[in-house]
Amino acid sequence: MYSVAISVVSCLRANTRVNVVWVVDNGGIPGLDPTDGVALTPGGGRMGSLANGAFDSQLVDLAAATSGRVVELQVGDIEALVSGLPKGSRATLAVMPADQLPTHLWQALLDRKRVVLDAQLDGGRITEIAVQLEGTDDDRVTALLQSAATTSEVDEHRLLTALVPVTRLAIGGGGPMADAIEQAARFVGWQVQRAGNPDTATGLMLGLSPIDAAVVMGHDVEASSTILAAALEGGAGYIGALGSMRMQQNRADWLAYRGITDLSRVHGPAGIDINAHTPAEVAVSVVAEIVAVLNGPR
């Protein structure tokens, strides 16, 4: 849901009909992440993806839904061939017209806050839905707001979905060091985005929030400094810059020439000092420092 929030907001502002779909129970289907969501517009428009496209043809029907409901979808013969998933696999999804969801949900998702969707059900139809951002007298809601990961609870009359954002790591640069950092970050459960091109990397950096991290690397002073400037403009809770002290100074000079002098948010050289030498050792030190910073006082 977090990944499609900005697309949904754009559709709503343009008065474009859009339905949102989120995972209630993935049925153990590989690759169907509970954090995934899809935004659907009439005519087959789709933003986001579920289960390697296994449900794409069935999502077309959900785009026409005029009210919220909980549905069960099954991987058919063709879908199994296309997606590589076992035939007959089933997943439970919820679909809801975006304009029928509380408006403050979208800002909460854009701000990467954890929320609970509290829906009342009648025969699988969603008759009423609320968004909870704080603890309430309802123990189930309060417990879900403290969930470690996105999860849902559903019975005959109620669907509760806790949406918990996952830390994103944006890596500006490439090579063995970037590979090692990506591998280490995925090990701790983060989502990783990489781009070596300054234009693409800039977009990644600008989209980060306080629960996210940015790591910049590269031997080209102008390219890496451009990406670092974007990270400073964005909202990342951690910004790390790899490279020697000479490279750090070169980047600082490049930024200062362009009026950017406050580098207090930048950890450079990035990583906890563990006398690391190999890319894998550097990756461990960088990820450890990110954990320490993001989990520390703000």
Side-chain angles (χ1 to χ4, degrees):
M1 287 282 277
Y2 294 93
S3 61
V4 299
I6 191 167
S7 298
V8 172
V9 170
S10 297
C11 289
L12 292 174
R13 288 176 177 171
N15 292 318
T16 299
R17 177 188 172 87
V18 58
N19 285 358
V20 292
V21 180
W22 67 93
V23 179
V24 173
D25 184 350
N26 66 6
I29 295 177
L32 183 52
D33 192 326
T35 64
D36 289 339
V38 173
L40 307 168
T41 57
R46 183 177 68 255
M47 293 146 283
S49 178
L50 293 176
N52 299 321
F55 302 118
D56 283 0
S57 60
Q58 298 171 75
L59 290 178
V60 173
D61 296 331
L62 296 183
T66 58
S67 61
R69 63 180 189 264
V70 175
V71 297
E72 184 179 76
L73 301 186
Q74 178 176 320
V75 178
D77 293 332
I78 296 176
E79 290 87 353
L81 289 173
V82 171
S83 65
L85 296 177
K87 174 187 173 183
S89 300
R90 296 174 180 271
T92 303
L93 308 175
V95 57
M96 190 83 183
D99 60 3
Q100 295 180 23
L101 284 158
T103 56
H104 63 283
L105 167 66
W106 306 113
Q107 189 58 54
L109 295 182
L110 290 175
D111 292 340
R112 312 258 296 160
K113 294 181 178 179
R114 60 176 60 213
V115 303
V116 169
L117 301 178
D118 185 355
Q120 303 302 310
L121 302 179
D122 181 5
R125 293 185 304 107
I126 298 176
T127 59
E128 184 179 348
I129 190 165
V131 173
Q132 307 289 351
L133 299 174
E134 299 177 351
T136 69
D137 293 337
D138 190 314
D139 292 340
R140 290 177 66 188
V141 171
T142 299
L144 283 171
L145 281 168
Q146 299 171 356
S147 298
T150 294
T151 187
S152 291
E153 297 179 2
V154 61
D155 57 34
E156 184 180 355
H157 302 292
R158 193 180 189 191
L159 165 63
L160 290 168
T161 297
L163 299 175
V164 180
V166 176
T167 292
R168 290 181 297 174
L169 171 62
I171 302 174
M177 200 72 74
D179 294 341
I181 293 173
E182 177 176 357
Q183 184 177 2
R186 292 193 185 281
F187 176 76
V188 295
W190 298 343
Q191 296 173 344
V192 182
Q193 298 171 299
R194 286 175 55 177
N197 178 280
D199 290 337
T200 305
T202 292
L204 296 181
M205 300 298 167
L206 292 174
L208 298 178
S209 75
I211 70 167
D212 302 323
V215 173
V216 179
M217 65 188 71
H219 301 294
D220 186 295
V221 174
E222 181 172 0
S224 60
S225 298
T226 298
I227 299 171
L228 184 56
L232 287 165
E233 186 177 349
Y238 172 92
I239 301 173
L242 287 172
S244 66
M245 292 305 298
R246 181 180 177 84
M247 175 58 76
Q248 304 293 331
Q249 187 58 54
N250 288 340
R251 290 183 186 134
D253 293 342
W254 189 95
L255 292 168
Y257 185 75
R258 289 155 181 80
I260 304 172
T261 57
D262 184 2
L263 305 184
S264 59
R265 294 170 59 203
V266 178
H267 298 263
I272 294 173
D273 186 4
I274 58 172
N275 200 27
H277 296 289
T278 68
E281 290 172 347
V282 172
V284 169
S285 74
V286 171
V287 170
E289 184 174 60
I290 294 172
V291 171
V293 171
L294 294 184
N295 288 350
R298 296 178 186 164

